[in-house]
Amino acid sequence: MKGAEYIAEFLAQRKTEKVFLLNGGAASFMVDAIARNPNIDYCSVQHEQVAAMAGDAIWRISGNVGVVMATSGPGATNLVTGICCNWFDSIPCLYITGQVNLKHSEVFEGTRVRQFGFQETDIVNLVGSVTKYARQVTTAEELQEALIEGYNAAITGRMGPSLIDVPMDLQQMDIGDRVFYHPPATTSISATDLEVHVNAINKLFENALRPVVLFGAGVGLAGAEAEVEAWLRDQGVPVVASWSGSCYLQQDFPGYVGCIGVYGNRGANYVLQNCDALLVIGSRLDTRQRPGNPNDFAPEAKVHVIDVDEEELKKYIKDEYGVSAMDLQFAGKVLDRVAPVSMSKEWSDYVVGMKEKFYGRDISSFSKKTGSISPYAVIKKLNEMIDEDATVTVDVGAITCWFFQMFERRRHTVFSNGGFAPISYAIGASIGVAATDSARQVIMVIGDGGLQNNIQELQTIAENEFNIQIIV
C-alpha cells in the first residue's frame, strides 16, 4: 500500500463511514485512495469549515470519531474554526491535512524562510493549542505511529481533536500491506477511589434541606447519561442543566426544572440560587453559568464538582468548592452507592412552584406588544410536530436562547456547539448527520445571519438530496 491507501484502510478499519472534505492538490492522493477503498466513502462540501463542523456532529450522533480531510495552506487553515468547536466541547475528531512535498522543504534546510512550497503552512503549530495531538509525519513509520496516537488521543481522557499533517511524497510512498492499531488501555475505578467519591457526595447532602444536581455535558460525553438520569428520577432530587448537558437528558420527569445561566430558564435559576447543596456533574461552570463574582453563584450552598479534567477543578480551590477528579463513565456506579437524598417539604413545594410558573412558558412581552409571532411559540410548536427520534441541530445566537428555553427533549437527538459557538455551525452539523444516517429526520434550527454565513452549502444539501428541514 501507498501512504494514502494506508490512511484510507486505517480509517475503514476504525468503521469510519464518511470522510468530510474539500479536495485540493496536496490532499488529492488521499482523497483518491478513499474513493477507491470499497469500505469507506467521502462527502465533499463547498468550504472546509463546513467539513469540520460536519465531522464534529459524528461523535454526537453515533459515538464514532468524525474524520475530516483538507489540502495544505488555506485548506488547512479553513478548518481551524471547526477544530475549536471540537476542542471546547470535548468532541473527538481526526483531521488529516495534505502538505507540500518533503523535498521542497529540504532545499531550504537551515534557513528561516516563511514558506517552503506553494500553499505551504505550518498547520501543526497553528493548531497546537486547540488539539490534543498535532504532528507532521515525515516517514512511513511516523505515519503508522501518528495514526494510532492521534486517534487514541482523541478518544481518551477529556476528548478532543487530533491533526496529522501528511506531505504529498509520503502519501505516494510504499508503506507495507499490514495496518497497525491498538486501542487505548481500558480504565477502571478502584474500590478506594469509589469510596472516596461516594463519601464526598454523602457529606455534601447529609444535612441539606434544599439539594440540587446540575447535569452537565460531560455525563453524556462519557456515555453515562442513562445511569445518571435513572438515579435522578429515582431520588426525586431537583435537576437543572447546562445547555449542552440538557442535550443528553430526557426531560419529561418531575424533578427537571430547566437550563440555567444568563439566558437560562428563570425558574431553574431561582432553584439553583436558593439551594443549600449543589452537586455539579460534568459541567465546567463557565461565565454564562457562574457570574464573574463566584460568591453570587448559589450563595448559600455547599458546592461539589465532579469532572474528568483536573485543570478545570483547580479553578474552584479559592472558592472552597469540593472537587472530585473522575472519569465520568463511572458516575452511575458512584451515585448508585450514595445514600438516599432527602429534602424539606417546603423546598419540594418551592421547586414545583417554580417549574409550574416558568418551565415551558412563554413569558416574553415583545411579540404581544408588536403583534408579531413569538419565537418561543415557534419552538414549542416545532417540539410538537417533529418525530420523537428526530435529530435537531441548533445554531448559535438568539436562536439558541429561544430553543433551549422552550424545547423539551425526550428521545430526540439535540445538539449545538456551546463552547466556541460559531454562527452557521448547524449547517455543517446537519450535513454530517444527513450524510451518515439518511433515514433520520434532520431539523436545522438557524437564524438568518447563520444561514447567510455558509449559504453555499445549500448546494451540498441539494446535490446529495440530504433529508434536512431548515427552520429559519
Side-chain angles (χ1 to χ4, degrees):
M1 286 186 288
K2 304 292 186 184
E5 295 168 327
Y6 186 93
I7 292 168
E9 183 58 26
F10 177 90
L11 296 174
Q13 290 187 18
R14 305 284 75 72
K15 308 302 181 185
T16 302
E17 295 180 22
K18 285 281 198 317
V19 177
F20 297 94
L21 57 83
L22 181 60
N23 199 4
S28 56
F29 294 110
M30 297 186 293
V31 176
D32 180 66
I34 290 168
R36 289 186 286 106
N37 189 308
N39 299 314
I40 191 171
D41 199 359
Y42 67 86
C43 175
S44 182
V45 297
Q46 315 301 312
H47 193 291
E48 291 90 352
Q49 182 189 99
V50 171
M53 293 170 177
D56 183 88
I58 300 307
W59 181 271
R60 299 176 189 267
I61 63 167
S62 68
N64 297 324
V65 176
V67 180
V68 180
M69 193 170 285
T71 190
S72 61
T77 59
N78 279 345
L79 298 172
V80 174
T81 297
I83 291 173
C84 289
C85 288
N86 310 146
W87 176 250
F88 293 113
D89 273 21
S90 308
I91 301 297
C93 197
L94 179 63
Y95 293 84
I96 303 175
T97 51
Q99 188 54 274
V100 301
N101 288 304
L102 291 167
K103 60 186 178 185
H104 291 163
S105 61
E106 291 170 358
V107 175
F108 300 96
E109 188 173 352
T111 70
R112 298 181 65 184
V113 297
R114 293 188 178 188
Q115 191 176 50
F116 298 131
F118 175 67
Q119 291 190 330
E120 189 275 339
T121 304
D122 184 1
I123 190 62
V124 169
N125 277 321
L126 279 174
V127 303
S129 66
V130 289
T131 51
K132 292 194 67 182
Y133 183 95
R135 180 180 181 182
Q136 184 183 101
V137 292
T138 59
T139 66
E141 292 74 19
E142 286 184 3
L143 175 60
Q144 293 170 326
E145 181 181 78
L147 284 168
I148 298 170
E149 291 178 350
Y151 190 92
N152 286 349
I155 60 175
T156 53
R158 184 174 180 179
M159 300 181 294
S162 294
L163 182 141
I164 302 170
D165 196 38
V166 188
M168 284 189 291
D169 40 6
L170 184 52
Q171 295 174 35
Q172 302 170 75
M173 188 182 297
D174 287 321
I175 202 168
D177 293 329
R178 182 184 173 191
V179 174
F180 295 93
Y181 179 68
H182 56 80
T186 57
T187 57
S188 60
I189 185 168
S190 68
T192 300
D193 286 344
L194 184 65
E195 184 179 3
V196 168
H197 297 320
V198 170
N199 289 340
I201 298 172
N202 282 337
K203 184 177 180 181
L204 172 72
F205 287 135
E206 64 182 351
N207 295 314
L209 298 175
R210 306 188 304 277
V212 168
V213 174
L214 171 52
F215 187 102
V219 178
L221 290 170
E225 65 272 27
E227 297 168 86
V228 173
E229 182 184 315
W231 180 81
L232 293 171
R233 288 174 180 263
D234 179 66
Q235 293 293 313
V237 61
V239 184
V240 296
S242 64
W243 277 353
S244 295
S246 72
C247 296
Y248 295 98
L249 192 62
Q250 294 196 57
Q251 299 161 12
D252 56 343
F253 65 100
Y256 181 69
V257 192
C259 293
I260 62 154
V262 175
Y263 306 110
N265 180 277
R266 190 173 296 179
N269 281 330
Y270 281 144
V271 167
L272 182 139
Q273 287 298 93
N274 287 285
C275 72
D276 65 358
L278 176 63
L279 178 62
V280 181
I281 312 177
S283 178
R284 59 192 176 88
L285 297 181
D286 74 355
T287 53
R288 294 297 176 92
Q289 297 172 336
R290 200 170 69 139
N293 181 358
N295 294 326
D296 294 333
F297 177 79
E300 297 181 7
K302 290 195 299 181
V303 181
H304 192 92
V305 183
I306 303 175
D307 202 282
V308 69
D309 188 344
E310 294 189 29
E311 292 300 315
E312 293 286 351
L313 296 176
K314 289 178 182 178
K315 65 191 182 188
Y316 306 124
I317 294 174
K318 61 181 180 296
D319 303 319
E320 299 183 349
Y321 289 4
V323 297
S324 294
M326 182 178 73
D327 187 332
L328 288 167
Q329 68 173 299
F330 303 115
K333 192 173 185 179
V334 169
L335 292 172
D336 283 344
R337 288 162 174 76
V338 169
V341 181
S342 60
M343 57 183 159
S344 70
K345 175 69 163 53
E346 291 79 9
W347 181 240
S348 178
D349 291 344
Y350 176 79
V351 173
V352 169
M354 288 296 100
K355 182 166 184 175
E356 288 178 349
K357 187 174 182 179
F358 294 111
Y359 183 76
R361 306 289 185 186
D362 181 359
I363 61 173
S364 62
S365 58
F366 180 82
S367 61
K368 297 181 179 70
K369 291 177 181 177
T370 60
S372 59
I373 297 173
S374 167
Y376 298 103
V378 173
I379 299 301
K380 192 162 189 175
K381 187 65 175 177
L382 176 69
N383 205 164
E384 297 168 359
M385 293 173 62
I386 64 175
D387 294 347
E388 279 283 306
D389 60 351
T391 293
V392 186
T393 64
V394 186
D395 210 61
V396 176
I399 187 66
T400 328
C401 307
W402 298 328
F403 184 89
F404 285 104
Q405 280 281 359
M406 298 303 291
F407 193 90
E408 183 177 81
R409 177 189 178 267
R410 293 180 291 276
R411 291 175 50 232
H412 314 97
T413 299
V414 177
F415 63 93
S416 184
N417 188 263
F420 198 55
I423 62 169
S424 83
Y425 167 81
I427 297 176
S430 295
I431 289 171
V433 177
T436 306
D437 188 352
S438 59
R440 187 186 294 244
Q441 184 186 42
V442 184
I443 310 293
M444 181 200 310
V445 183
I446 192 166
D448 54 350
L451 183 64
Q452 289 287 345
N453 205 49
N454 269 317
I455 200 168
Q456 76 281 347
E457 298 304 325
L458 294 179
Q459 176 62 36
T460 304
I461 294 170
E463 182 179 341
N464 290 277
E465 298 182 347
F466 287 146
N467 178 28
I468 299 174
Q469 295 162 284
I470 305 173
I471 312 297
V472 182

